[in-house]
Coordinates of all heavy atoms in Angstrom, one line a residue:
M1281 N 129.5 82.0 127.9 CA 129.0 82.7 126.7 C 127.5 82.7 126.6 O 126.9 81.7 126.9 CB 129.6 81.9 125.5 CG 129.2 82.6 124.2 SD 130.3 82.0 122.8 CE 129.4 80.6 122.2
T1282 N 126.9 83.8 126.3 CA 125.5 83.9 126.3 C 125.0 83.9 124.8 O 125.7 84.5 123.9 CB 125.0 85.2 127.0 OG1 125.5 86.3 126.3 CG2 125.3 85.2 128.4
G1283 N 123.9 83.3 124.6 CA 123.3 83.3 123.2 C 122.6 84.6 122.9 O 122.3 85.4 123.8
A1284 N 122.3 84.7 121.7 CA 121.5 85.9 121.2 C 120.1 85.8 121.8 O 119.5 84.7 122.0 CB 121.5 86.0 119.7
V1285 N 119.5 86.9 122.0 CA 118.1 87.0 122.5 C 117.2 86.4 121.3 O 117.4 86.8 120.2 CB 117.7 88.4 122.9 CG1 116.2 88.4 123.2 CG2 118.5 88.9 124.0
K1286 N 116.3 85.6 121.7 CA 115.4 85.0 120.6 C 113.9 85.3 121.0 O 113.6 85.7 122.1 CB 115.6 83.5 120.5 CG 117.0 83.1 120.1 CD 117.2 81.6 120.0 CE 118.6 81.3 119.5 NZ 118.9 79.9 119.5
G1287 N 113.1 85.0 120.0 CA 111.6 85.2 120.3 C 111.2 86.7 120.3 O 112.0 87.5 119.8
P1288 N 110.1 87.0 120.9 CA 109.5 88.3 120.9 C 110.5 89.4 121.4 O 110.6 90.5 121.0 CB 108.3 88.2 121.7 CG 107.9 86.8 121.6 CD 109.1 86.0 121.5
A1289 N 111.3 89.0 122.5 CA 112.2 89.9 123.1 C 113.3 90.4 122.1 O 113.9 91.5 122.3 CB 112.8 89.3 124.3
S1290 N 113.5 89.7 121.1 CA 114.6 90.1 120.1 C 114.2 91.4 119.4 O 115.0 92.1 118.9 CB 114.8 89.0 119.1 OG 113.7 88.8 118.2
Y1291 N 112.9 91.8 119.4 CA 112.4 93.0 118.8 C 112.5 94.2 119.7 O 112.4 95.3 119.3 CB 110.9 92.9 118.5 CG 110.6 92.0 117.3 CD1 110.4 90.7 117.4 CD2 110.5 92.6 116.0 CE1 110.1 89.9 116.3 CE2 110.2 91.8 114.9 CZ 110.0 90.4 115.1 OH 109.7 89.7 114.0
F1292 N 112.8 94.0 121.0 CA 112.7 95.1 122.0 C 113.6 96.2 121.7 O 113.2 97.4 121.8 CB 112.9 94.5 123.4 CG 111.7 93.7 123.9 CD1 111.7 93.1 125.1 CD2 110.5 93.5 123.1 CE1 110.7 92.4 125.6 CE2 109.5 92.8 123.6 CZ 109.5 92.2 124.9
P1293 N 114.9 96.0 121.4 CA 115.8 97.2 121.1 C 115.3 98.0 120.0 O 115.3 99.3 120.1 CB 117.1 96.5 120.8 CG 117.1 95.2 121.5 CD 115.7 94.7 121.4
S1294 N 114.8 97.4 118.9 CA 114.3 98.2 117.8 C 113.0 98.9 118.1 O 112.7 100.0 117.6 CB 114.2 97.4 116.5 OG 113.3 96.4 116.7
I1295 N 112.2 98.3 119.0 CA 110.9 98.9 119.4 C 111.2 100.2 120.2 O 110.6 101.3 119.9 CB 110.0 98.0 120.2 CG1 109.5 96.8 119.3 CG2 108.9 98.7 120.9 CD1 108.9 95.7 120.1
E1296 N 112.1 100.1 121.1 CA 112.5 101.2 122.0 C 113.1 102.4 121.1 O 112.7 103.5 121.3 CB 113.4 100.8 123.1 CG 112.8 100.0 124.1 CD 113.7 99.6 125.2 OE1 115.0 99.4 125.0 OE2 113.3 99.4 126.4
Q1297 N 113.9 102.0 120.2 CA 114.6 103.0 119.3 C 113.6 103.7 118.4 O 113.5 104.9 118.3 CB 115.7 102.3 118.5 CG 116.4 103.3 117.6 CD 117.5 102.6 116.9 OE1 117.5 101.4 116.6 NE2 118.5 103.4 116.4
K1298 N 112.7 102.9 117.8 CA 111.8 103.4 116.8 C 110.7 104.3 117.4 O 110.3 105.3 116.8 CB 111.2 102.3 115.9 CG 110.3 102.8 114.8 CD 109.9 101.7 113.8 CE 109.1 102.3 112.7 NZ 108.9 101.4 111.6
Y1299 N 110.1 103.8 118.5 CA 108.9 104.5 119.1 C 109.2 105.3 120.3 O 108.3 106.0 120.8 CB 107.9 103.4 119.4 CG 107.5 102.6 118.2 CD1 107.9 101.3 118.0 CD2 106.8 103.2 117.1 CE1 107.6 100.6 116.9 CE2 106.5 102.4 116.0 CZ 106.9 101.1 115.9 OH 106.6 100.4 114.7
G1300 N 110.5 105.3 120.8 CA 110.9 106.2 121.9 C 110.3 105.9 123.3 O 110.3 106.8 124.1
R1301 N 109.8 104.8 123.5 CA 109.3 104.4 124.8 C 110.0 103.1 125.3 O 110.2 102.2 124.5 CB 107.8 104.1 124.8 CG 106.9 105.3 124.6 CD 105.5 104.8 124.7 NE 104.6 106.0 124.6 CZ 103.3 105.9 124.8 NH1 102.7 104.8 125.2 NH2 102.5 107.0 124.7
P1302 N 110.3 103.0 126.6 CA 110.8 101.8 127.1 C 109.8 100.6 127.0 O 108.6 100.9 127.1 CB 111.2 102.1 128.5 CG 110.4 103.3 128.9 CD 110.1 104.0 127.6
I1303 N 110.3 99.4 127.0 CA 109.4 98.2 126.9 C 108.5 98.2 128.1 O 107.3 97.8 127.9 CB 110.3 96.9 126.7 CG1 111.0 97.0 125.4 CG2 109.4 95.7 126.8 CD1 110.2 97.1 124.2
S1304 N 109.0 98.5 129.2 CA 108.1 98.5 130.4 C 106.9 99.4 130.3 O 105.8 99.0 130.7 CB 108.9 98.9 131.7 OG 109.4 100.2 131.5
E1305 N 107.0 100.5 129.6 CA 105.9 101.4 129.4 C 104.9 100.8 128.4 O 103.7 100.8 128.6 CB 106.4 102.7 128.8 CG 105.6 103.9 129.1 CD 106.2 105.2 128.7 OE1 107.3 105.5 129.2 OE2 105.6 105.8 127.8
W1306 N 105.4 100.1 127.4 CA 104.5 99.4 126.4 C 103.7 98.3 127.1 O 102.5 98.1 126.9 CB 105.3 98.9 125.2 CG 105.7 99.9 124.3 CD1 107.0 100.3 124.0 CD2 104.9 100.8 123.5 NE1 107.1 101.3 123.1 CE2 105.8 101.6 122.7 CE3 103.6 100.9 123.3 CZ2 105.3 102.6 121.8 CZ3 103.1 101.8 122.4 CH2 104.0 102.7 121.7
K1307 N 104.4 97.6 128.0 CA 103.8 96.5 128.7 C 102.7 97.0 129.7 O 101.7 96.4 129.8 CB 104.8 95.6 129.5 CG 105.7 94.8 128.5 CD 106.6 94.0 129.3 CE 107.4 93.0 128.4 NZ 108.1 92.0 129.2
D1308 N 103.0 98.1 130.3 CA 102.0 98.7 131.2 C 100.8 99.1 130.4 O 99.6 99.0 130.9 CB 102.6 100.0 131.9 CG 103.6 99.6 133.0 OD1 103.7 98.4 133.4 OD2 104.4 100.5 133.4
L1309 N 101.0 99.7 129.2 CA 99.8 100.0 128.4 C 99.0 98.8 128.0 O 97.7 98.9 128.1 CB 100.3 100.7 127.1 CG 100.7 102.2 127.2 CD1 101.3 102.6 125.8 CD2 99.4 103.0 127.4
I1310 N 99.7 97.7 127.7 CA 98.9 96.5 127.3 C 98.2 96.0 128.5 O 97.0 95.6 128.4 CB 99.9 95.5 126.8 CG1 100.5 95.9 125.4 CG2 99.3 94.1 126.6 CD1 101.7 95.2 124.9
R1311 N 98.8 96.0 129.6 CA 98.1 95.4 130.9 C 97.0 96.3 131.3 O 96.0 95.8 131.9 CB 99.2 95.3 132.0 CG 100.1 94.2 131.8 CD 101.1 94.1 133.0 NE 102.1 93.1 132.7 CZ 103.4 93.5 132.5 NH1 103.8 94.7 132.6 NH2 104.3 92.5 132.2
S1312 N 97.0 97.6 131.0 CA 96.0 98.5 131.5 C 94.8 98.6 130.4 O 93.8 99.2 130.7 CB 96.5 99.9 131.7 OG 97.0 100.5 130.6
S1313 N 95.0 98.0 129.3 CA 94.0 98.0 128.3 C 92.8 97.2 128.7 O 93.0 96.1 129.3 CB 94.5 97.5 126.9 OG 93.5 97.3 126.0
P1314 N 91.6 97.6 128.4 CA 90.4 96.7 128.7 C 90.3 95.5 127.7 O 89.6 94.6 128.0 CB 89.2 97.6 128.4 CG 89.7 98.7 127.5 CD 91.2 98.9 127.8
L1315 N 91.1 95.5 126.7 CA 91.1 94.4 125.7 C 91.9 93.2 126.3 O 92.8 93.4 127.1 CB 91.8 94.8 124.4 CG 91.2 96.0 123.7 CD1 92.0 96.5 122.5 CD2 89.8 95.7 123.3
T1316 N 91.5 92.0 125.9 CA 92.2 90.8 126.5 C 92.7 89.9 125.5 O 93.6 89.1 125.8 CB 91.2 90.1 127.5 OG1 90.1 89.7 126.7 CG2 90.8 90.9 128.6
R1317 N 92.2 89.9 124.3 CA 92.6 88.9 123.3 C 93.8 89.4 122.5 O 93.9 90.6 122.2 CB 91.4 88.7 122.3 CG 90.2 88.0 123.1 CD 89.1 87.8 122.2 NE 89.5 86.8 121.2 CZ 88.8 86.5 120.1 NH1 87.6 87.1 119.9 NH2 89.2 85.6 119.3
H1318 N 94.6 88.5 122.2 CA 95.9 88.8 121.5 C 95.8 89.7 120.3 O 96.4 90.8 120.3 CB 96.6 87.5 121.1 CG 98.0 87.7 120.5 ND1 99.1 87.6 121.2 CD2 98.3 88.0 119.2 CE1 100.2 87.9 120.4 NE2 99.7 88.1 119.2
M1319 N 95.0 89.3 119.4 CA 94.9 90.1 118.1 C 94.1 91.4 118.3 O 94.4 92.4 117.6 CB 94.2 89.2 117.0 CG 95.1 88.1 116.5 SD 96.8 88.6 116.1 CE 96.5 89.7 114.7
E1320 N 93.3 91.5 119.3 CA 92.6 92.8 119.6 C 93.7 93.7 120.1 O 93.7 94.9 119.7 CB 91.6 92.6 120.7 CG 90.3 91.9 120.3 CD 89.4 91.6 121.4 OE1 89.8 91.6 122.6 OE2 88.2 91.5 121.2
L1321 N 94.6 93.3 121.0 CA 95.6 94.1 121.5 C 96.6 94.5 120.4 O 97.0 95.7 120.4 CB 96.4 93.4 122.7 CG 95.6 93.3 123.9 CD1 96.1 92.1 124.8 CD2 95.6 94.6 124.7
V1322 N 96.9 93.6 119.5 CA 97.8 93.9 118.4 C 97.2 95.0 117.5 O 97.8 96.0 117.2 CB 98.1 92.7 117.6 CG1 98.8 93.0 116.3 CG2 99.0 91.7 118.4
A1323 N 95.9 94.8 117.2 CA 95.2 95.8 116.4 C 95.2 97.2 117.1 O 95.4 98.2 116.4 CB 93.8 95.4 116.0
W1324 N 95.0 97.2 118.4 CA 94.9 98.4 119.2 C 96.3 99.1 119.1 O 96.3 100.4 118.9 CB 94.5 98.1 120.6 CG 94.5 99.2 121.5 CD1 93.7 100.3 121.6 CD2 95.4 99.3 122.6 NE1 94.1 101.1 122.6 CE2 95.1 100.5 123.3 CE3 96.5 98.6 123.1 CZ2 95.8 101.0 124.4 CZ3 97.2 99.0 124.2 CH2 96.9 100.2 124.9
L1325 N 97.3 98.4 119.3 CA 98.7 99.0 119.3 C 99.0 99.6 117.9 O 99.6 100.7 117.8 CB 99.7 98.0 119.7 CG 99.8 97.6 121.2 CD1 100.8 96.5 121.4 CD2 100.2 98.8 122.0
K1326 N 98.5 98.9 116.9 CA 98.7 99.4 115.5 C 97.9 100.7 115.2 O 98.5 101.6 114.7 CB 98.4 98.3 114.5 CG 99.4 97.1 114.6 CD 98.9 95.9 113.8 CE 98.7 96.2 112.3 NZ 98.3 95.0 111.6
T1327 N 96.7 100.7 115.6 CA 95.8 101.8 115.2 C 96.0 103.0 116.2 O 96.0 104.1 115.7 CB 94.3 101.4 115.2 OG1 93.9 100.9 116.4 CG2 94.1 100.4 114.1
E1328 N 96.1 102.7 117.5 CA 96.1 103.8 118.4 C 97.5 104.4 118.7 O 97.7 105.5 119.1 CB 95.5 103.4 119.8 CG 94.0 103.1 119.7 CD 93.2 104.3 119.3 OE1 93.5 105.4 119.8 OE2 92.3 104.1 118.5
H1329 N 98.5 103.5 118.5 CA 99.9 103.9 118.8 C 100.9 103.8 117.7 O 102.1 104.1 117.8 CB 100.4 103.1 120.0 CG 99.6 103.3 121.2 ND1 99.7 104.4 122.1 CD2 98.6 102.5 121.8 CE1 98.8 104.3 123.0 NE2 98.1 103.2 122.9
G1330 N 100.4 103.4 116.5 CA 101.2 103.5 115.3 C 102.3 102.4 115.2 O 103.2 102.6 114.4
L1331 N 102.2 101.4 115.9 CA 103.2 100.3 115.8 C 103.0 99.5 114.6 O 101.9 99.3 114.1 CB 103.2 99.4 117.1 CG 104.0 99.8 118.3 CD1 103.5 101.0 118.9 CD2 104.2 98.7 119.3
G1332 N 104.1 98.9 114.1 CA 104.0 97.9 113.0 C 103.5 96.6 113.6 O 103.5 96.4 114.8
H1333 N 103.0 95.8 112.7 CA 102.4 94.5 113.1 C 103.4 93.6 113.9 O 103.1 93.1 114.9 CB 101.9 93.7 111.9 CG 101.2 92.4 112.3 ND1 99.9 92.4 112.8 CD2 101.7 91.2 112.3 CE1 99.7 91.1 113.1 NE2 100.7 90.4 112.8
G1334 N 104.6 93.5 113.4 CA 105.6 92.6 114.1 C 105.9 93.1 115.4 O 106.1 92.3 116.4
H1335 N 106.1 94.4 115.6 CA 106.4 95.0 116.9 C 105.3 94.9 117.9 O 105.5 94.5 119.0 CB 106.8 96.5 116.7 CG 108.2 96.6 116.1 ND1 108.6 97.8 115.5 CD2 109.2 95.8 116.0 CE1 109.8 97.7 115.1 NE2 110.2 96.5 115.3
A1336 N 104.1 95.1 117.4 CA 102.9 95.0 118.2 C 102.7 93.6 118.7 O 102.4 93.3 119.8 CB 101.7 95.5 117.5
N1337 N 102.9 92.6 117.7 CA 102.7 91.2 118.0 C 103.7 90.8 119.0 O 103.4 90.0 120.0 CB 102.8 90.4 116.7 CG 102.4 89.0 116.9 OD1 101.3 88.7 117.3 ND2 103.3 88.1 116.6
A1338 N 105.0 91.2 118.9 CA 106.0 90.8 119.8 C 105.7 91.3 121.2 O 105.9 90.5 122.2 CB 107.4 91.3 119.4
L1339 N 105.3 92.5 121.4 CA 105.0 93.1 122.7 C 103.8 92.4 123.3 O 103.9 92.0 124.5 CB 104.6 94.6 122.6 CG 105.8 95.5 122.4 CD1 105.3 96.9 122.0 CD2 106.6 95.6 123.7
V1340 N 102.8 92.1 122.6 CA 101.6 91.4 123.1 C 102.0 90.0 123.5 O 101.6 89.6 124.6 CB 100.4 91.5 122.1 CG1 99.3 90.6 122.6 CG2 99.9 92.9 122.0
A1341 N 102.6 89.3 122.7 CA 103.0 87.9 122.9 C 103.8 87.8 124.2 O 103.6 87.0 125.1 CB 103.8 87.3 121.8
H1342 N 104.8 88.7 124.3 CA 105.7 88.6 125.5 C 105.0 89.0 126.8 O 105.2 88.4 127.8 CB 106.9 89.6 125.3 CG 108.1 89.3 126.2 ND1 108.2 89.8 127.4 CD2 109.1 88.5 126.0 CE1 109.3 89.4 128.0 NE2 109.9 88.6 127.1
T1343 N 104.1 90.0 126.7 CA 103.4 90.5 127.9 C 102.4 89.4 128.3 O 102.3 89.1 129.5 CB 102.7 91.8 127.6 OG1 103.6 92.8 127.1 CG2 102.0 92.4 128.8
L1344 N 101.6 88.9 127.4 CA 100.6 87.9 127.8 C 101.3 86.6 128.3 O 100.7 85.9 129.1 CB 99.7 87.6 126.6 CG 98.8 88.7 126.1 CD1 98.0 88.2 125.0 CD2 98.0 89.2 127.3
A1345 N 102.5 86.3 127.8 CA 103.2 85.1 128.3 C 103.7 85.3 129.8 O 104.0 84.3 130.4 CB 104.4 84.8 127.4
E1346 N 103.8 86.5 130.2 CA 104.2 86.7 131.6 C 103.0 86.6 132.6 O 102.4 87.6 132.9 CB 104.8 88.1 131.7 CG 106.0 88.4 131.0 CD 106.5 89.8 131.1 OE1 105.7 90.7 131.3 OE2 107.7 90.0 130.9
G1347 N 102.7 85.4 132.9 CA 101.6 85.2 133.9 C 100.3 85.7 133.5 O 99.6 86.4 134.2
G1348 N 99.9 85.5 132.2 CA 98.6 85.9 131.8 C 98.5 87.3 131.3 O 97.5 87.7 130.8
G1349 N 99.6 88.1 131.5 CA 99.6 89.4 130.9 C 98.8 90.4 131.8 O 98.9 91.6 131.5
R1350 N 98.1 90.0 132.7 CA 97.3 91.0 133.5 C 97.7 90.9 135.0 O 97.9 90.0 135.6 CB 95.8 90.7 133.4 CG 95.4 90.7 131.9 CD 94.5 92.0 131.7 NE 94.2 92.0 130.3 CZ 94.7 92.9 129.4 NH1 95.6 93.7 129.8 NH2 94.3 92.8 128.2

């Protein structure tokens, strides 16, 4: 039996549904950004791509946790 997805990844299905892009595409955008700080990236996703704070935060946290995010 598998448990429910927890943490930032738990937001991924709703992010894909709401914004129409796969998570891999969002992660590529984050990695290609010249910004490096967590909250700078969150603010950028919110202002430039229209994401809500929770969704932007989840994407950035998960991406940066993957080997430094870059």
Side-chain angles (χ1 to χ4, degrees):
M1281 181 163 90
T1282 61
V1285 175
K1286 296 181 181 176
S1290 67
Y1291 286 90
F1292 289 177
S1294 61
I1295 292 170
E1296 289 180 330
Q1297 182 179 22
K1298 185 168 184 172
Y1299 304 106
R1301 288 185 179 191
I1303 296 304
S1304 60
E1305 209 172 295
W1306 288 113
K1307 288 182 174 192
D1308 288 344
L1309 279 172
I1310 292 166
R1311 289 185 188 107
S1312 67
S1313 171
L1315 304 172
T1316 58
R1317 297 180 65 192
H1318 181 99
M1319 290 310 295
E1320 290 175 333
L1321 288 160
V1322 169
W1324 173 71
L1325 287 172
K1326 289 168 61 176
T1327 58
E1328 295 297 318
H1329 298 283
L1331 272 71
H1333 182 82
H1335 287 161
N1337 190 59
L1339 283 167
V1340 172
H1342 198 272
T1343 304
L1344 294 180
E1346 295 176 334
R1350 301 252 180 252

